[in-house]
Amino acid sequence: MYSPASRSAPRSPSVPDRQLACARVHSPEGRDYLAAMAAATNYARANRQLLTETVRRIVETHTGVGLDLVYDVSHNLATLETHSVDGRPTQLCVHRKGATRAVPPGHEDLPYDWSTSASRH
């Protein structure tokens, strides 16, 4: 999703791949998309929490062993990120369908615990 708002710019910028789609964040389509993504993200998170708790209870009931959540991450959401567009840093709303963003150790978007340790596996 392309974010720079310009009243005189085309409503839907062109994209380099026909499998990609975009809309300006501040357009009616962009706002509708972000609202739908927020609702879907909330639903998915609640669903993961319920499934996790169900699995915990079943495992503990049958084995006596408790389970701890190690990592919970959505793999289908849109995030605001800065990327180079025509050589200029531009804030974009990026939707990675079925994937999470990968960043190297020490990246500023990582929580402190993870950004300080490149050796965690």
Side-chain angles (χ1 to χ4, degrees), residues 89-105:
T90 306
Q91 189 177 43
L92 303 172
C93 181
V94 179
H95 180 177
R96 288 183 178 84
K97 181 131 178 91
T100 55
R101 185 177 185 192
V103 294

Side-chain angles (χ1 to χ4, degrees), residues 13-35:
S14 63
V15 292
D17 185 322
R18 61 182 226 134
Q19 293 184 15
L20 299 175
C22 67
R24 296 188 184 283
V25 170
H26 300 293
S27 70
E29 297 87 356
R31 286 190 301 272
D32 288 349
Y33 175 82
L34 292 176

Side-chain angles (χ1 to χ4, degrees), residues 58-82:
I58 291 169
V59 169
E60 188 164 3
T61 298
H62 293 283
T63 68
V65 176
L67 297 177
D68 293 323
L69 179 64
V70 175
Y71 196 66
D72 179 20
V73 64
S74 176
H75 64 276
N76 190 18
L77 52 86
T79 56
L80 293 174
E81 302 173 8
T82 301

